[in-house]
Coordinates of all heavy atoms in Angstrom, one line a residue:
Y1362 N 4.9 7.6 -17.7 CA 5.2 6.3 -17.1 C 4.2 5.3 -17.3 O 4.5 4.1 -17.3 CB 5.4 6.5 -15.6 CG 6.5 7.4 -15.2 CD1 6.3 8.8 -15.0 CD2 7.8 7.0 -15.2 CE1 7.4 9.6 -14.7 CE2 8.9 7.8 -15.0 CZ 8.7 9.1 -14.7 OH 9.7 9.9 -14.5
Q1363 N 2.9 5.7 -17.5 CA 1.8 4.7 -17.5 C 0.6 5.2 -18.2 O 0.4 6.4 -18.3 CB 1.6 4.1 -16.1 CG 1.3 5.2 -15.1 CD 1.7 4.9 -13.7 OE1 1.9 3.7 -13.4 NE2 1.9 5.9 -12.8
L1377 N -9.8 4.2 -10.5 CA -8.5 4.6 -11.0 C -7.8 3.4 -11.6 O -7.5 2.4 -10.8 CB -7.6 5.3 -10.0 CG -6.2 5.7 -10.4 CD1 -6.2 6.8 -11.5 CD2 -5.4 6.2 -9.2
L1379 N -4.4 2.0 -13.8 CA -3.1 2.3 -14.3 C -2.6 1.1 -15.1 O -2.6 0.0 -14.6 CB -2.1 2.6 -13.2 CG -2.4 3.8 -12.3 CD1 -1.4 4.0 -11.2 CD2 -2.6 5.1 -13.1
V1382 N -4.7 -1.9 -14.9 CA -4.9 -2.6 -13.6 C -5.6 -1.6 -12.6 O -5.2 -0.5 -12.4 CB -3.5 -3.0 -12.9 CG1 -3.8 -3.7 -11.6 CG2 -2.7 -3.8 -13.9
V1383 N -6.7 -2.1 -12.0 CA -7.5 -1.2 -11.1 C -6.7 -1.0 -9.8 O -6.4 -1.9 -9.1 CB -8.9 -1.9 -10.8 CG1 -9.7 -1.0 -9.9 CG2 -9.7 -2.1 -12.1
Q1384 N -6.5 0.3 -9.5 CA -5.7 0.6 -8.3 C -6.7 0.9 -7.1 O -6.3 0.6 -6.0 CB -5.0 2.0 -8.6 CG -4.0 1.9 -9.7 CD -2.9 1.0 -9.5 OE1 -2.2 1.1 -8.5 NE2 -2.7 0.0 -10.4
L1385 N -7.8 1.5 -7.4 CA -8.7 1.7 -6.3 C -10.1 2.0 -6.9 O -10.3 2.3 -8.0 CB -8.3 2.9 -5.5 CG -8.3 4.3 -6.2 CD1 -9.6 5.0 -6.1 CD2 -7.1 5.1 -5.7
Y1393 N -8.3 -1.0 2.2 CA -6.8 -1.1 1.9 C -6.1 0.1 2.6 O -5.1 -0.2 3.2 CB -6.7 -1.0 0.3 CG -5.3 -0.8 -0.1 CD1 -4.4 -2.0 -0.3 CD2 -4.7 0.4 -0.4 CE1 -3.1 -1.8 -0.7 CE2 -3.4 0.5 -0.9 CZ -2.6 -0.6 -1.0 OH -1.3 -0.4 -1.5
H1394 N -6.6 1.3 2.4 CA -5.8 2.4 2.9 C -5.8 2.5 4.5 O -4.7 2.8 5.0 CB -6.4 3.8 2.4 CG -6.1 3.9 0.9 ND1 -7.2 4.1 0.0 CD2 -5.0 3.8 0.2 CE1 -6.6 4.1 -1.2 NE2 -5.3 3.9 -1.2
L1397 N -3.2 -0.3 5.5 CA -1.9 0.0 5.1 C -1.3 1.0 6.0 O -0.1 1.0 6.5 CB -1.8 0.4 3.6 CG -0.5 0.8 3.1 CD1 0.5 -0.3 3.1 CD2 -0.6 1.3 1.6
I1414 N 5.9 6.0 -0.3 CA 6.4 5.8 -1.6 C 5.3 5.3 -2.5 O 4.7 4.3 -2.1 CB 7.7 4.8 -1.6 CG1 8.8 5.5 -0.9 CG2 8.1 4.5 -3.1 CD1 10.1 4.7 -0.8
G1415 N 5.0 5.9 -3.6 CA 3.9 5.6 -4.4 C 2.7 6.4 -3.8 O 2.9 7.5 -3.4
G1416 N 1.5 5.8 -3.8 CA 0.4 6.4 -3.1 C -0.1 7.7 -3.7 O -0.7 8.5 -3.0
G1417 N 0.1 7.9 -5.0 CA -0.2 9.2 -5.7 C -1.7 9.5 -5.7 O -2.1 10.7 -5.9
D1418 N -2.6 8.6 -5.4 CA -4.0 8.9 -5.3 C -4.3 9.6 -4.0 O -5.4 10.2 -3.9 CB -4.8 7.6 -5.4 CG -4.3 6.5 -4.4 OD1 -4.6 6.7 -3.2 OD2 -3.6 5.6 -4.8
T1421 N -3.7 6.8 1.1 CA -2.8 6.4 2.3 C -2.4 7.7 3.0 O -2.5 7.8 4.3 CB -1.5 5.7 1.8 OG1 -2.0 4.5 1.1 CG2 -0.6 5.3 3.0
V1437 N 6.4 10.3 -2.2 CA 7.2 10.3 -3.4 C 6.6 9.4 -4.4 O 6.6 8.1 -4.2 CB 8.7 9.7 -3.0 CG1 9.5 9.7 -4.3 CG2 9.3 10.5 -1.9
D1438 N 5.9 10.0 -5.3 CA 5.3 9.2 -6.4 C 6.0 9.6 -7.7 O 6.1 10.8 -8.0 CB 3.8 9.4 -6.6 CG 3.1 8.3 -7.4 OD1 3.5 8.2 -8.6 OD2 2.3 7.6 -6.9
I1439 N 6.4 8.6 -8.5 CA 7.2 8.8 -9.7 C 6.4 9.6 -10.7 O 6.9 10.4 -11.5 CB 7.7 7.5 -10.3 CG1 8.8 7.6 -11.2 CG2 6.5 6.7 -10.9 CD1 9.5 6.3 -11.6
D1440 N 5.1 9.5 -10.7 CA 4.2 10.1 -11.7 C 3.3 11.2 -11.2 O 2.3 10.9 -10.6 CB 3.4 8.9 -12.3 CG 2.7 9.3 -13.6 OD1 2.7 10.5 -14.0 OD2 2.2 8.3 -14.3
V1443 N -0.6 11.1 -11.9 CA -1.5 10.4 -11.0 C -2.1 11.3 -10.0 O -3.3 11.3 -9.7 CB -0.8 9.1 -10.4 CG1 -1.8 8.4 -9.4 CG2 -0.4 8.1 -11.5
I1444 N -1.2 12.1 -9.4 CA -1.6 13.1 -8.4 C -2.6 14.1 -8.9 O -3.7 14.4 -8.3 CB -0.4 13.8 -7.7 CG1 0.5 12.7 -7.1 CG2 -0.8 14.9 -6.8 CD1 1.8 13.2 -6.6
E1468 N 9.6 11.6 -8.0 CA 10.8 10.9 -8.5 C 10.7 9.4 -8.1 O 9.7 9.0 -7.4 CB 12.1 11.5 -7.8 CG 12.0 11.6 -6.3 CD 13.3 12.3 -5.8 OE1 14.4 11.7 -5.8 OE2 13.2 13.5 -5.4
D1469 N 11.6 8.6 -8.5 CA 11.6 7.2 -8.2 C 11.9 7.0 -6.7 O 12.9 7.5 -6.2 CB 12.7 6.5 -9.1 CG 12.6 5.0 -9.0 OD1 12.2 4.5 -7.9 OD2 12.9 4.4 -10.0
G1470 N 11.0 6.3 -6.1 CA 11.1 6.0 -4.7 C 12.4 5.3 -4.3 O 12.9 5.5 -3.2
Y1471 N 12.8 4.4 -5.2 CA 14.1 3.7 -4.9 C 15.2 4.6 -4.8 O 16.1 4.6 -3.9 CB 14.3 2.6 -6.0 CG 15.5 1.8 -5.8 CD1 15.4 0.6 -5.1 CD2 16.7 2.1 -6.4 CE1 16.5 -0.2 -5.0 CE2 17.8 1.3 -6.3 CZ 17.7 0.1 -5.6 OH 18.9 -0.6 -5.4
D1487 N 3.3 2.1 -1.0 CA 1.9 1.9 -1.6 C 2.1 2.0 -3.1 O 1.7 3.0 -3.8 CB 1.0 3.1 -1.1 CG -0.4 3.0 -1.6 OD1 -0.7 2.0 -2.3 OD2 -1.1 4.0 -1.5
S1488 N 2.6 0.9 -3.7 CA 3.0 1.0 -5.1 C 2.1 0.2 -6.0 O 1.3 -0.6 -5.5 CB 4.5 0.5 -5.2 OG 4.4 -0.9 -5.0
T1489 N 2.3 0.3 -7.3 CA 1.7 -0.6 -8.2 C 2.3 -2.0 -8.1 O 3.3 -2.2 -7.4 CB 1.9 0.0 -9.7 OG1 3.2 0.5 -9.7 CG2 0.9 1.1 -9.9
D1490 N 1.7 -3.0 -8.8 CA 2.3 -4.3 -8.8 C 3.8 -4.3 -9.1 O 4.2 -3.5 -9.9 CB 1.6 -5.2 -9.8 CG 0.1 -5.4 -9.5 OD1 -0.2 -5.4 -8.3 OD2 -0.7 -5.6 -10.4
V1492 N 6.1 -4.8 -11.1 CA 6.6 -4.9 -12.5 C 7.1 -3.6 -12.9 O 6.7 -2.6 -12.3 CB 5.5 -5.4 -13.5 CG1 5.2 -6.9 -13.3 CG2 4.2 -4.6 -13.3
F1494 N 8.9 -0.2 -13.2 CA 9.6 0.7 -12.3 C 9.3 0.4 -10.8 O 9.9 0.9 -9.9 CB 9.5 2.2 -12.7 CG 8.1 2.6 -12.9 CD1 7.2 2.9 -11.9 CD2 7.6 2.7 -14.2 CE1 5.9 3.3 -12.1 CE2 6.3 3.1 -14.5 CZ 5.4 3.4 -13.4
A1495 N 8.2 -0.4 -10.6 CA 7.8 -0.7 -9.2 C 8.6 -1.9 -8.7 O 8.6 -2.2 -7.5 CB 6.3 -0.9 -9.1
H1496 N 9.2 -2.7 -9.6 CA 9.8 -3.9 -9.1 C 10.9 -3.7 -8.1 O 11.1 -4.5 -7.1 CB 10.4 -4.7 -10.3 CG 10.9 -6.0 -9.9 ND1 12.3 -6.2 -9.7 CD2 10.3 -7.2 -9.5 CE1 12.5 -7.5 -9.2 NE2 11.3 -8.0 -9.1
A1497 N 11.7 -2.6 -8.3 CA 12.9 -2.4 -7.3 C 12.4 -2.2 -5.9 O 13.2 -2.4 -5.0 CB 13.6 -1.1 -7.8
L1498 N 11.1 -1.9 -5.7 CA 10.6 -1.7 -4.3 C 10.4 -2.9 -3.5 O 9.9 -2.8 -2.4 CB 9.3 -0.8 -4.4 CG 9.4 0.5 -5.2 CD1 8.0 1.2 -5.3 CD2 10.4 1.4 -4.6
Q1520 N 2.8 -3.0 0.6 CA 1.8 -3.9 0.1 C 2.5 -5.0 -0.7 O 3.3 -4.7 -1.5 CB 0.7 -3.1 -0.7 CG 1.1 -2.7 -2.1 CD 0.9 -3.7 -3.2 OE1 0.4 -4.8 -2.9 NE2 1.2 -3.3 -4.4
E1522 N 0.9 -7.9 -2.3 CA 0.1 -8.7 -3.2 C -0.7 -9.8 -2.5 O -0.8 -9.8 -1.3 CB 1.0 -9.3 -4.3 CG 1.9 -8.3 -5.1 CD 1.1 -7.4 -6.0 OE1 0.3 -7.9 -6.8 OE2 1.3 -6.2 -6.0
Y1555 N -9.0 -6.3 -5.4 CA -7.7 -6.9 -5.8 C -7.8 -8.4 -6.0 O -8.5 -9.1 -5.2 CB -6.7 -6.5 -4.7 CG -6.3 -5.1 -4.6 CD1 -5.6 -4.6 -3.5 CD2 -6.7 -4.2 -5.6 CE1 -5.2 -3.2 -3.4 CE2 -6.4 -2.8 -5.5 CZ -5.7 -2.4 -4.4 OH -5.3 -1.0 -4.3
W1560 N -5.3 -9.7 0.8 CA -4.2 -8.9 0.4 C -3.1 -8.8 1.5 O -3.5 -8.7 2.7 CB -4.6 -7.5 0.1 CG -3.7 -6.9 -1.0 CD1 -2.9 -5.9 -0.9 CD2 -3.6 -7.3 -2.4 NE1 -2.2 -5.6 -2.1 CE2 -2.7 -6.6 -3.0 CE3 -4.2 -8.4 -3.1 CZ2 -2.3 -6.7 -4.3 CZ3 -3.9 -8.5 -4.4 CH2 -2.9 -7.7 -5.0
Ligands
LIG3117 N1 -3.2 0.9 -3.9 C1 -2.7 0.6 -5.2 C2 -2.5 -0.8 -5.5 O1 -2.0 -1.6 -4.8 O2 -3.0 -1.2 -6.6 C3 -1.5 1.5 -5.5 C4 -2.1 2.8 -5.7 S1 -0.9 4.1 -6.1 C5 -1.8 4.9 -7.4 C6 0.5 3.4 -6.8 C7 1.5 4.4 -7.3 O3 2.8 3.9 -7.2 C8 1.3 4.9 -8.7 O4 0.8 6.2 -8.7 C9 2.7 4.8 -9.3 O5 3.1 5.9 -10.1 C10 3.6 4.7 -8.0 N2 4.9 4.0 -8.2 C11 5.1 2.8 -8.7 N3 6.5 2.6 -8.7 C12 7.1 3.6 -8.1 C13 8.4 4.0 -7.8 N4 9.4 3.2 -8.1 N5 8.6 5.2 -7.2 C14 7.6 6.0 -6.9 N6 6.3 5.8 -7.2 C15 6.0 4.6 -7.8

Side-chain angles (χ1 to χ4, degrees):
Y1362 299 98
Q1363 52 212 340
L1377 172 68
L1379 299 179
V1382 182
V1383 179
Q1384 304 292 306
L1385 63 91
Y1393 170 84
H1394 293 123
L1397 179 59
I1414 293 179
D1418 52 77
T1421 303
V1437 183
D1438 195 297
I1439 200 166
D1440 194 345
V1443 175
I1444 297 172
E1468 53 182 286
D1469 188 328
Y1471 181 90
D1487 181 9
S1488 69
T1489 38
D1490 294 330
V1492 284
F1494 49 80
H1496 183 260
L1498 304 178
Q1520 73 89 356
E1522 308 287 310
Y1555 291 166
W1560 213 247

